[in-house]
């Protein structure tokens, strides 16, 4: 039983950080959830400030730094 328990613990120790890293690096999730939550907690003072967020629009996400498609 000791070996099985250690294998289970090692699996949890390795899976949890990798899963959190993968979730945290999802750009769509970040923009959809985190930015929206930030706006709920700290709403902009003026309505026109919402349009000045420094994130790329969806149609530009597939471009590299030179403006070329990445696919």
């Amino acid at each position: 039983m000791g070996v099985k328990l250690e294998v289970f613990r090692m699996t949890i120790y390795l899976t949890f950080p990798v899963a959190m890293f993968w979730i945290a690096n999802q750009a769509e999730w970040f923009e959809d959830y985190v930015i929206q939550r930030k706006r709920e907690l700290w709403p902009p003072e003026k309505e026109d400030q919402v349009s000045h967020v420094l994130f790329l629009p969806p149609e530009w996400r597939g471009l590299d730094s030179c403006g070329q498609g990445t696919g």
Side-chain angles (χ1 to χ4, degrees):
M1 175 161 163
V3 174
K4 291 180 183 179
L5 179 63
E6 289 299 319
V7 170
F8 175 73
R9 287 176 54 191
M10 186 57 70
T11 303
I12 295 297
Y13 291 156
L14 293 175
T15 303
F16 182 75
V18 170
M20 292 298 109
F21 183 76
W22 181 78
I23 290 170
N25 284 304
Q26 299 297 314
E28 287 107 20
W29 177 82
F30 182 82
E31 289 182 357
D32 293 342
Y33 180 75
V34 176
I35 301 298
Q36 193 67 5
R37 183 71 175 146
K38 178 186 166 198
R39 288 184 184 150
E40 290 173 6
L41 293 174
W42 301 286
E45 295 176 10
K46 299 177 186 174
E47 287 298 320
D48 61 345
Q49 287 180 341
V50 175
S51 64
H52 294 106
V53 177
L54 298 175
F55 290 102
L56 293 176
E59 60 270 5
W60 289 8
R61 290 183 189 155
L63 302 177
D64 62 6
S65 61
C66 297
Q68 303 294 322
T70 58

